[in-house]
Amino acid sequence: MPNRDNATERPLLSLILPVLDEAATLPAQLARLQDLRRRGAEVLVVDGGSADATQVLARPLVDRLIAAPRGRAAQMNAGAGAARGQVLLFLHADTTLPPAADALIHAAIAAGAAWGRFDVRIDARHPLLRLVERMMNWRSRLSGIATGDQAIFVRHDIFTRLGGFPELPLMEDIAFSKLLKRIARPACLRAQVLTSGRRWEKHGVLRTIVLMWRLRASYFLGADPQRLAIRYGYAPRQR
């Protein structure tokens, strides 16, 4: 691993993973990130109060393990506050980066991008999910809006200037993308991240697709994100 004792050595990239009860899958995810760490990236896991062994398993495989109030936006903001990287990459615990993701991000930023995201592929066999992938990537490229599944990255200074993710219980990625679009359109990298199909498989592919379309449409029409989160199956933290 690179020497991290030199406080003046600022890494190019900080990966921030918000997690909750991910002991079953997180070690394998973090193991895949060790090559990035060896190349100088830092990895921060932000735990939202896991009741399983998530923290114990994560600690030896990360640069920082942070506890934060439950809620993906709050956890990602806490991670960003502790990160030293020039660029922040927000990665879901069930999403795998493509090879050389750090080099791809570096090239995009060096070319003038303020932020960006990857294309996405869903790790499941159902044929409808091939259509979902294409629609997600096409819609994102057309609209300039990214979702968390696409591994959003952003220059640290711009993240700070915008105040981070709006602390919503759902759709925080879309709300943040809207803020970022005021500065610049995203770099839409065609390299694919691989995201788990577990939420589609658990509740039924067609049912989940319809639910997500309804939730997204309701959000754009001004529905309360907390009510949408409950419909989606989250139990938003109480303020």
Side-chain angles (χ1 to χ4, degrees):
M1 295 296 170
N3 182 1
R4 302 181 187 275
D5 294 330
N6 185 355
T8 65
E9 183 182 350
R10 189 179 181 193
L12 169 69
L13 188 63
S14 293
L15 288 81
I16 298 166
L17 289 78
V19 301
L20 181 70
D21 294 332
E22 293 285 356
T25 59
L26 188 61
Q29 164 70 307
L30 293 177
R32 288 188 287 267
L33 297 179
Q34 298 311 299
D35 282 347
L36 289 176
R37 292 184 72 206
R38 281 187 281 270
R39 295 199 293 268
E42 67 170 357
V43 175
L44 300 89
V45 162
V46 188
D47 186 71
S50 293
D52 63 7
T54 291
Q55 292 193 27
V56 172
L57 294 171
R59 186 168 284 110
L61 296 171
V62 299
D63 298 289
R64 295 284 301 276
L65 176 63
I66 301 165
R70 178 183 175 185
R72 185 171 279 159
Q75 290 171 239
M76 291 189 293
N77 287 340
R84 299 184 302 115
Q86 301 169 49
V87 179
L88 307 176
L89 169 63
F90 299 94
L91 185 65
H92 289 182
D94 60 0
T95 299
T96 301
L97 292 170
D102 51 349
L104 295 171
I105 292 171
H106 176 74
I109 297 296
W115 70 290
R117 80 341 170 244
F118 292 86
D119 275 359
V120 68
R121 183 162 59 92
I122 300 170
D123 188 15
R125 291 188 174 184
H126 197 290
L128 270 178
L129 292 178
R130 305 289 76 81
L131 176 61
V132 171
E133 296 166 352
R134 290 193 289 271
M135 290 294 292
M136 286 175 66
N137 297 328
W138 175 82
R139 182 186 64 223
S140 176
R141 190 165 278 107
L142 183 66
S143 68
I145 297 295
T147 67
D149 288 330
Q150 293 174 300
I152 295 171
F153 59 90
V154 58
R155 278 174 29 199
H156 201 156
D157 60 322
I158 289 175
F159 182 90
T160 301
R161 187 195 317 169
L162 293 176
F165 286 91
E167 293 203 6
L168 306 174
L170 195 66
M171 306 292 181
E172 76 290 331
D173 46 2
I174 293 174
F176 189 50
S177 293
K178 288 182 175 180
L179 295 176
L180 287 165
K181 274 183 62 179
R182 297 176 186 175
I183 295 175
R185 288 187 63 82
C188 296
L189 305 187
R190 293 189 179 275
Q192 294 177 330
V193 295
L194 180 67
T195 192
S196 171
R198 61 186 179 181
R199 66 185 176 195
W200 284 278
E201 293 171 334
K202 180 178 179 180
H203 300 293
V205 171
L206 185 58
R207 178 183 176 187
T208 303
I209 291 171
V210 172
L211 174 61
M212 293 175 72
W213 282 349
R214 285 178 175 174
L215 293 176
R216 191 179 298 271
S218 297
Y219 174 73
F220 279 107
L221 291 173
D224 177 11
Q226 183 148 326
R227 291 182 180 274
L228 297 181
I230 293 170
R231 285 173 58 189
Y232 187 60
Y234 287 162
R237 64 186 175 93
Q238 299 299 314
R239 293 185 180 276

